[in-house]
Amino acid sequence: MSAVQNPIVSEFPSEQDAATYDAWLRQKVQASLANADSPASKRFTSDDVARKLAATIEAENAKRRLA
């Protein structure tokens, strides 16, 4: 049986739950880093991102003006 964690110190009810989450998170981070390093990954410049964000914000504002 695993020890109960102090909720002030840990958001997980047990050490086993914390270890399971930690292993899952490390796997996700490793996969993301491998994907980011892949030459096949799509790249975006900061200008591309800024344009897309501005367009998204404008579209949402236009929807609200029409509502």
Side-chain angles (χ1 to χ4, degrees):
M1 182 172 174
S2 58
V4 174
Q5 300 281 76
N6 181 338
I8 295 172
V9 177
S10 176
E11 64 185 275
F12 300 100
S14 70
E15 289 179 18
Q16 182 180 2
D17 289 339
T20 299
Y21 176 79
D22 184 66
W24 170 83
L25 181 60
R26 288 177 186 277
Q27 186 274 326
K28 296 293 277 185
V29 168
Q30 189 63 35
S32 294
L33 290 172
N35 184 44
D37 290 341
S38 170
S41 292
K42 192 168 183 181
R43 305 285 192 235
F44 299 95
T45 66
S46 58
D47 289 340
D48 293 338
V49 174
R51 275 192 293 278
K52 176 74 174 171
L53 179 58
T56 300
I57 291 170
E58 181 54 38
E60 286 298 315
N61 288 339
K63 277 194 240 179
R64 290 185 180 142
R65 285 191 295 266
L66 293 175

